[in-house]
Each structure stands twice: as structure tokens, then as C-alpha cells.
Amino acid sequence: MFEEYPSGDSLHEPPNEETLPTPTITATLEVETVVEIQGVVVPVPGRSHTEDLCFLDYMRRSLALLELSGNAKEHHEILGRLEEIKGAAAGAQVLSATLFEADVITQRTDAGVRENNPSYGVGSQIALARRESPDQGRSFLAYSRRLVAHLQFTLAALLAGQISWAQAQIIVKNTEHLSAEHCEAVDQDLLRDPQALDGICSRALEDEVRRLSFLYDSSDALSRMEQANAQRYCSLYPARDGMMQLSGMFSVQDGLAIRQTLMKDAASLKVGGDPRSLNQIMADLAVDRLTGRDPAQGTQVMVNLVMTDRTLYQGSGEPAYLQGYGTVPATWARAVIKGSEAPDHAWYRAQVSLRRLYTHPQTGELLAMDSSSRSFPKNLKEFIRIRDQYCRTPYCNAPIKHFDHVVQHARGGATSAVNGSGRCGACNQTKEQEGWEEKVIETGGRHTIEITTPTGAVYTSTAPALPGTPAA
């Protein structure tokens, strides 16, 4: 859905077996920037940015050409070595992220920029480079800071490929409340011998880090638990095959009470002859109690269903789009509209209020809407929400909370579907920082925004494909 513009150099070219031993980028380098290993010319990193990119490009190309005809033992060895490389690459990203942040802070300080957070927006730029959501980028930057500052044994093990990024995250997360002194002590105890973590599962590692943390500092454990309870939440996420996943954080008392009550009541119904499985009964009881619905009458729900006329009237297999969930099968969409029965007809006994939206038969676009006001009217907001589905920042999968002018209203940007985009709160604030630029570009198809970051990197954000969008 989001693609970075090609830079024109060899970094974005597909692997080429014939030119791999001497990547094209090395042709512009001095002789001493490469070495020969077993008859193969290999770039050398660590001398300049250009040479580092050359080396990384060589590594990427080489991985695509590994020998695939080996036996099981040989592939097992390759898998293990690749896992070490993944850990080392994550460690290199940690160092690069912290240096990136330091340079931005220096530039802003030298320019006389005074901000409460001089590195604001760095996490979002890191996220773009890592092809992940801004929230994940900010988390990665926070973890990187702690690794570099207070967890040097963990960082060394990561760079050596002795632990995985997942293991490093567990260590960072469970020591973030400690003072620098105590954090460094736990780090040394845990990874003075990295081999001690071989074979340990993630739950066991988490328990060990917590044990050491409590050993050095348990004085504020109760206050931390109270703070965690203040951050409790409950959320729903789309899952596969027409399902939604309920997730949340509750106090240990509430969590145990929920589980015990659902298990007890489900077991009672099961003993009474209920044909559903225990898990099915527990899920249905949870929905009944959360929505307050009468199981015999179903649930009231508003469904925004986007489809083509071919799907509705001609029996086409072209999928539909359900707002708040995602892509759904054509047969399911027709069944919801017609009220057809199904083996598990919980959905179909629901009291569904349906809003049908149609897409252009050639471009797949929804019809545009416009407004002369600065604030987006309700119908236009609904239009943008359905078109964009998620925050329009590349790789961000957060729900839409703000309706944003791509070109700011103060700069003459119109309040329209074309100049509008759905954003999460954090991304809407980030793009207002100096150096971020956005504009709508005409592609003849789906709504597309060009985004330029303060470092000059250019990305495109294209609205997700809706039903009726021609195949690329």
C-alpha cells in the first residue's frame, strides 16, 4: 500500500546472480574499499557512509543467493546463522537510531530551535525507515536509548548475534523502572555469560529479569502496580475469517475474577446439556454481558459495507469492505444484506442497520465530496474514514482520530475529500513539525499523498484498495 520512491541507485535493484561478486556500486569506490575472500570481491564497511551502504547491499544480495539444495542438517545450520545475523542487524539498528536522534538534536540546537522535546518526530522517521507504525518506531527508539545507555552487556550480546531482538526487548521492558545503577547491575548479572540464555523461553527470561529487578530494587513495586492499574484498557481488533479479537489489560484481581466467572458459568451450562464447546460458551457469555444483549434477540449494530454493484447484483466473487473490520468475502456480504441463515447464525440474528457504499467501476474510488468550511462536515468525515480505513502515515495501523488537511488550511488547502486524510492523533501532530511536507499527487487512481520527511526521504501513501479497484 505504501511505497518509497526509488532513489535511482543500486540499493533498490533486484538481486542479480551474475553481478553479485562485484556489486555495481563498487565501481565508483577506491580499490582499498573492497577485499577478496576466497576469490570473491567483498565490500568493507566502517570507513564511509557510501562503503557501508555498499556492504549492506552486498549482504542483502548474497542472502538471496544462498545454496538451496543442501540437506536438512545444512539448512538447520543456515537457519541458526541467519538468526544470529538478524540479532546483529537489530543491534546495528539500535546504534543507528540513537545516532540519528543525537544528530537531529544537535542540528536543532545549533539552529537555535527550542522545544520541550528536541527529538520530537525522530521516532516517526525511524518508523518509516523500518517500515512500521510510528508508535512502533517511537518504542524502538526508547528501547535503543536504554540499551546504549544502561544495558551494554545486552547490546553487546545482540550485536554478536547471541540473543534475539525479542529477548533484548524483554530485558529492556522489565528493567525500565530501575535506576541506571540497578539496571546496569541486572544487565551484568544476566548477560555476563550470554550462553546462560541458550534455550531459555521468553516467559522464563521475563521471570528471571523480574527476579533480578526485585532483588536490586523492590521498594516501589506496589506503586508501579498501582500505576499499571491506572493504565488498564480494553480493545477490539480485526482477526481472520470474519472474527474480532478482544484484548485488554486488567488488574490481576479483575482478570482472575473474569476468567473464573466465565469458566464457572460455562461449565454450568455445559453440564446442563449446552451443545457448544466451553470456549464458545465463554465467548458468547462475554459478549452477552459486555453488550447487555438478549441472546434471543441479537445485537444492534451499524454496518458500513463497501461493495461493487457486481458483488451485490451479479453474484461476483469480488470481496467487499466492512468498516471497522476490513475485507470480507462477497458471499458473506450478500448474506448480511439478504439476512440469509448460516450454520452459526449469530451474525444474522443481529439487528443490522446497513449503509451501502459503491465504488467507481473503472478506478475503484468513492465519489468525492467537498466543503468550503475549515472543519470537515460529518458526512465528509465518514467518507474519508471509509476511504482511508487507517491512519494515512505509511506503516501506521492506528485508527483514524483526526481529519487532517494534507496541505494545511492556513496555506490555502481546501476542506475536501481530495485534500483530506485520516490520521491518528500522534501522526497529525508530527506532520506539523518543521521539515515535514505533504501534497496530493494525481495518479489517475486511488487517493495518493506524497510525504517528505525532514531528512529529505520521500514516501507515498496510497489509500487502500476498495472493492472495484482494478488489479495492478
Side-chain angles (χ1 to χ4, degrees), residues 161-282:
Q162 296 170 314
I163 63 173
S164 68
W165 173 240
Q167 290 175 313
Q169 284 180 291
I170 290 173
I171 297 170
V172 174
K173 186 176 181 180
N174 288 279
T175 57
E176 60 186 1
H177 62 281
L178 297 176
S179 66
E181 179 185 359
H182 290 151
C183 187
E184 291 165 5
V186 171
D187 181 47
Q188 292 184 37
D189 285 353
L190 192 66
L191 281 158
R192 185 177 287 109
D193 177 16
Q195 302 299 323
L197 298 188
D198 285 353
I200 189 171
C201 69
S202 59
R203 290 291 297 274
L205 174 59
E206 191 166 17
D207 284 341
E208 177 62 13
V209 179
R210 287 178 179 175
R211 184 189 70 79
L212 290 171
S213 298
F214 289 139
L215 182 65
Y216 284 102
D217 183 14
S218 62
S219 58
D220 64 342
L222 182 58
S223 63
R224 291 200 308 275
M225 293 178 72
E226 291 173 346
Q227 291 173 5
N229 187 45
Q231 297 173 353
R232 60 191 180 276
Y233 72 92
C234 184
S235 298
L236 275 164
Y237 304 96
R240 63 183 181 86
D241 299 330
M243 303 297 288
M244 299 282 284
Q245 180 175 343
L246 176 66
S247 177
M249 293 290 286
F250 311 92
S251 69
V252 64
Q253 302 96 317
D254 290 342
L256 289 173
I258 292 170
R259 184 173 68 177
Q260 291 171 7
T261 301
L262 289 176
M263 291 180 66
K264 176 184 175 182
D265 293 350
S268 177
L269 289 171
K270 189 67 177 176
V271 171
D274 195 307
R276 295 171 293 176
S277 69
L278 282 173
N279 285 337
Q280 289 174 334
I281 297 173
M282 290 175 65

Side-chain angles (χ1 to χ4, degrees), residues 293-322:
R293 74 179 182 185
D294 181 342
Q297 295 181 353
T299 307
Q300 293 186 355
V301 60
M302 167 61 75
V303 173
N304 286 321
L305 193 61
V306 184
M307 66 180 70
T308 64
D309 54 352
R310 298 183 294 275
T311 296
L312 181 60
Y313 297 116
Q314 300 175 18
S316 169
E318 194 169 33
Y321 176 79
L322 178 64

Side-chain angles (χ1 to χ4, degrees), residues 306-360:
V306 184
M307 66 180 70
T308 64
D309 54 352
R310 298 183 294 275
T311 296
L312 181 60
Y313 297 116
Q314 300 175 18
S316 169
E318 194 169 33
Y321 176 79
L322 178 64
Q323 184 188 8
Y325 176 78
T327 302
V328 293
T331 51
W332 186 94
R334 286 191 290 269
V336 169
I337 292 175
K338 297 176 182 178
S340 303
E341 292 295 319
D344 180 4
H345 56 273
W347 253 105
Y348 305 102
R349 69 168 184 256
Q351 300 173 21
V352 176
S353 299
L354 184 68
R355 181 184 292 130
R356 290 170 291 189
L357 299 100
Y358 296 96
T359 50
H360 191 283

